[in-house]
Structures are given as structure tokens and as C-alpha cells.
Amino acid sequence: MNQTFTTHRRALMRRLPDGLILLAGGRELIRNYDVNYVFRQNSDFLWLTGVEEPGCALLLDPRKNSTTLFMPRIDDHHRVWEGHVPSPAEAKKLYGVQRVGFVDELSKELKAARRGHRRAYADPAAIKNWGNDLKGLRPASDVLVDAIEDLRTLKDEGELAFMRRANAVSGAAHVAVMKGARAGMREYEVQAIFDSACVGAGLKHLAYPSIVAAGDNGAVLHYRKNDAPLKAGQLLLIDAGAECRGYAADITRTFPVSKTFTRRQADVYDVVLGVQKALMAAAKPGVNSADWQVLSMRLIAEGLRDLGLLRGTTDSLVETGAVRLFYPHGIGHLLGLDVHDGLGGKRRKLPNPTKVPVRFVAKLEAGMAITVEPGIYFIDALLNSKSLAEKHRAAVDFAKARSWLGFGGIRIEDDVVVRRSGPPLNLTSVPKERRAIEELRRSAAHG
Ligand SMILES: [Mn+2]
């Protein structure tokens, strides 16, 4: 049993002390005939219970400070096909809940449980299933979902232990990739190295489909084909992470398919790495993430200006959006049970203090887990856009930039936890210095 989930349930009951709380766990989805999609528990349910099995429900009574977990009733037929399933007594111990019941009795149990309550909080799936049993209690889901999202924002030690493990295993898998990838392979063979290292270490779920992009494909931000050949002289960008008990790692590295970076690759790499380190150091409590984003854009604009791709003042390159032609995404996002964790409560309502449109606006706080992932890309759709060429003709050297098409992109992404003082704790320990990467690449078997 893990104390973390008990703590989460207590926090939620303290937040919503005035009503009965009901949540439905995820259900299996049929893929076809007898085959289901791989089951992944609903993140809020996971945060409250740690239960990774489908078809459960959770009832919290803040007045009694009691927790009841409802599980599907398992018959012998099910046991024949699926093997042992925890009994209620085993589940009680395993998940640290006061009571365990069967889902098919939940309706009946709610009749007794609702007595003395004037209201209820239930998630949308629970309202769909048991809304009738909560009639008259005005079951609200927005308030509940928002409260959980808010509580999920700051990670506790138990959660950080899962995130550390997700990062350690994913990091080792990235190193295996750096040692194993070589020219002539297909991107999916590299994906197989990564995925197999994670599964082989016991983390059977990846946090998202691995992005393995050679050469030009590195400029496709959510590339997923993973079937092109790796060629000498190209860069390989891999954005991949496993999850541990639902907690995600989200790591990106870019390295040469050959043993060393070319001069041009090294120049861009050094800009991205410099920005990544500067932004990591700047991830301190109280910093507004929109300002943090603008800082990343300023530094990348300056780097691209040094490379002769942009011209003009840093302010103008950021404000006109010229830098976004090469860096069209955010510097980072919250990370947790969802690879892009959300913001709840008051935190969601913070206004953007900058002149630049930013998706992730939050005041950084100790305990937030975030990614730091600057990148520079040469994207055909942007560099060959007539309207963008017109708009940014003074700021961008389009002739030069177009001559770099085919380069792909460079992104470096680590996962960090903001601390009360000083720089954040870096959960990711995959080599990212150019020399360290080249050393690993030299040890790889080049075919
Ligand atoms: Mn990311």
C-alpha cells in the first residue's frame, strides 16, 4: 500500500467537505471482438486510488472521513480467462481503503450513504452511471474535476518517487538508443530499442507514442510515422518517455546518425542547449510561465541572429513572431499523470502579462513538475509560406533559411521539479553535452 493515495483522498475531502464524492474509474474499450484496447486508468481516479484495474468506482464521505472502493464482481468464467483478481479483503489492504464493495451494489449502497447529505460531487462518468441515485443532491462535476486538477498540480514525495523511476528507466532507454542507432536502420528499429528497454525494465506503458524522427522528419513536431531510414550525416530526434504507475517521463534528445555533429548541426545544437540550460536555471517559484516563454523566445532569436538567419532587435523578433518560424511551440508544460498536466482552481485564471500569445500561463511554484524543451526547426510549411515571407521579409533571411531545409530540427527536453529556492531539481540524467553524446555515438556500432 502506498500512503500517497490516502493523502490525496484526504486532501480532496478537505477541499470538498460538504458533500458525498463519487468517481468512476475507467472502463475497458473493445478494440474488436474479444480484444480490448490496452487499458489505462483515468488519471484522476489513479491519483486518488492508485488502482490500475478497470471497472471500479470510488465513494468518499468527507463527514465520516471514509473511503469505499467498488470493484467489479469477478466470476469463475473471468478467472478462467484472466487468472487471479484481488479479493475484497486483498484489495482493502493493497489500496489502503476502509471498505471494498462490488460495483453492482453501488446503487443500493448509495441509498444509505446519501442519508444526511445535501449535495454530491461526481465526475461525468459517475453522473452518467449513478446520476439517478444522486437525484436531489445536485451532483456537480465541474467543481470536482477542477478541485482534483488543482490538487494534482503540486507533486508530493510519493509522486516524485514514481516520476523519478519513470525518468530513470526512460533515460536508460535514451542512452540505449544513442548506443544502438546507426545508419541504415529504420526509425521504427530505433523505436524498438527505446520501447523494449522501457518494457524490459518493467514499465509496460509508454506515456505517449515515441517520436523517432530522422533528418527532415525532425521538423515535424508530432511526427509519428517512424518508418524512414536513418542516413549518415542526418540528425536523429527522439522524443519518448515511459510512465510509472501512471506518472509520465517526457524526454527529447537529438544526436547525429554519424559519430559526430557537422559544423552546422553543432552550431544550432549549442544554441538550443544554451537556451535549455538558461531556462532551466530560470524556472524558479514566482516566475510567470509566460515571461519564461518569452525569455526562451528572446534567447532563441538571439541565437538565430548570430547564425545569420534573423536580423533586427530581439524585441521585434519576439513581438512580430518572426522567431516562431523556427520555434513554433512552448518552452514547457506541466507534467504528471498526464504528459500534459492541466491547471485547476485559481491558477487557471492568471492573465498573460506579456504581449505574446502563450498557452501555458501559470506562476511557477515549488512542487510543480514541468518540462524544459526549447527547439529550433527548419519547417517547409513555414519557410515556404508566401504570407509569412511577406510579413517577415525584413526579419528573416529566407534564402538562407530555405537553404537549410532538410536539416530537420533540434529539441532538448528534460523534466524538472521547481524547488523552493535555487534551480529546479532535474529528474532527467540523459547526456546532452555535445562531447558526451559524441562519445556515446563513437561507442555505437556504425554499419
Ligand atoms: Mn514535452
Side-chain angles (χ1 to χ4, degrees), residues 17 41 59 69 88 113 115 130 153 163 182 187 203 250 261 263 272 281 283 285 295 299 322 355 361 392 431 444:
Q41 184 60 279
L59 181 66
L69 176 68
R115 242 172 258 147
W130 300 287
T153 307
M163 295 190 77
R182 57 185 160 80
E187 291 161 342
L203 301 192
D250 181 3
F261 288 88
R263 188 68 252 155
V272 178
L295 175 62
L299 295 179
K355 293 180 202 158
V361 183
H392 297 293

Side-chain angles (χ1 to χ4, degrees), residues 245-313:
R245 299 291 299 266
Y247 287 86
D250 181 3
I251 304 171
T252 308
R253 287 294 182 267
T254 311
F255 61 85
V257 171
S258 302
K259 289 176 192 165
T260 52
F261 288 88
T262 65
R263 188 68 252 155
R264 183 180 281 185
Q265 288 167 351
D267 287 344
V268 179
Y269 193 90
D270 291 348
V271 172
V272 178
L273 183 59
V275 175
Q276 210 251 2
K277 287 179 180 171
L279 268 288
M280 195 176 291
K284 290 183 178 170
V287 169
N288 188 303
S289 62
D291 291 322
W292 193 50
Q293 169 72 26
V294 169
L295 175 62
S296 73
M297 293 165 80
R298 294 181 70 87
L299 295 179
I300 288 180
E302 284 162 10
L304 290 169
R305 195 172 53 206
D306 291 345
L307 293 174
L309 291 157
L310 289 178
R311 50 197 170 220
T313 66

Side-chain angles (χ1 to χ4, degrees), residues 67-115:
T67 296
T68 312
L69 176 68
F70 293 87
M71 302 175 65
R73 196 185 295 273
I74 301 302
D75 56 18
D76 285 341
H77 174 79
H78 185 101
R79 286 199 181 89
V80 169
W81 291 92
E82 309 288 335
H84 180 74
V85 174
S87 68
E90 285 169 322
K92 208 174 129 179
K93 237 169 132 181
L94 195 58
Y95 301 118
V97 294
Q98 276 105 332
R99 279 190 64 235
V100 173
F102 291 113
V103 169
D104 57 18
E105 291 172 345
L106 176 52
S107 222
K108 198 177 75 198
E109 291 216 17
L110 278 171
K111 285 193 179 65
R114 61 174 286 164
R115 242 172 258 147

